[in-house]
Amino acid sequence: MLENEDNGLTAVILPACGGMLVSLNMQGQEYLYSDVANLLSEERPKCGMPILFPICGRLKEDSYFESGEIRHMGIHGLAQYAVWEVMSAGESEENSYAKLRFCSDERTKKLYPYEFCVDLEYKLVGNSLYVFQTYHNQSEVTMRFSFGFHPYFCISELKSVEFQISADELWIPSKKLRIPAPGRFAFEIDGSSEYGAMFFNASQRVSLWDRGSGHRLEVSFSPEFPYHLLWSRPENHFVCMEPWSAPADAFHTAPETLTSLEPGQKTTACIGLHILDSASENHEKKRRRGL
């Protein structure tokens, strides 16, 4: 658990459960959607903040051709199932942090034929949680992949949620609609069991305002994440705000969007989760009054 004692913000990470964030709580208010039954099952994680690597989304027929063979890999890849190694953890006057690592082994190479290491540093700073990432190619050949995150945020109800995002295009798969992206976006609630919208060339920042709960959240991301997916199943009271480095099924439909690393190379990226609502504002007012 990472903790900011100054403002009561805590983050809980489960290294043995995909290395993922499962709670982001400020002063008793939980911002991440959790499903204990799912976490205790052998199903893929459908709550918290799963880590997507080496693919985002689903491959066509859960298969792809790489290194001379047809290979199979489920939705969102391998990292979400891995036991991550804790490299170090601690705190300073300014932040608390945990550094995790996930490396290839004989099991992963059957599904993804490369030697790699992924390093994550979760860092709690003020009202924000940052995730700094480094992806290493330890193979003797070029390694192709995509990467991203899948945070599930608690909401009162989907019809009360509005998003702000600057992007070039918006694609709504259920309507087969691709249009210039508006600066403000809300789902048109029509009784569907699932809602999704993909933004292209998103400008490194997406915010959410939930009129029902009063929560205001922001997800920031470095330029390595030009795609941003919004997704929800309304009956579960969550919405996902997902920065991706490439679209779904990129190995088949958009190989030019995959990240390619030469042997021995690495690439870095960062995302941030920021709490902007009254919980943080009220704390700041109290701090200024010396309470």
Side-chain angles (χ1 to χ4, degrees), residues 126-142:
N127 297 332
S128 302
L129 176 71
Y130 294 93
V131 188
F132 299 94
Q133 310 138 56
T134 305
Y135 303 87
H136 305 262
N137 179 11
Q138 299 177 330
S139 304
E140 296 181 354
V141 295
T142 302

Side-chain angles (χ1 to χ4, degrees), residues 53 84 100-103 116-120 133-136:
F53 172 86
W84 289 63
L100 309 183
R101 174 171 290 177
F102 164 46
C103 294
F116 63 82
C117 268
V118 180
D119 288 316
L120 297 186
Q133 310 138 56
T134 305
Y135 303 87
H136 305 262

Side-chain angles (χ1 to χ4, degrees), residues 5-18:
E5 295 182 356
D6 184 54
N7 64 4
L9 179 63
T10 61
V12 178
I13 300 152
L14 296 183
C17 188

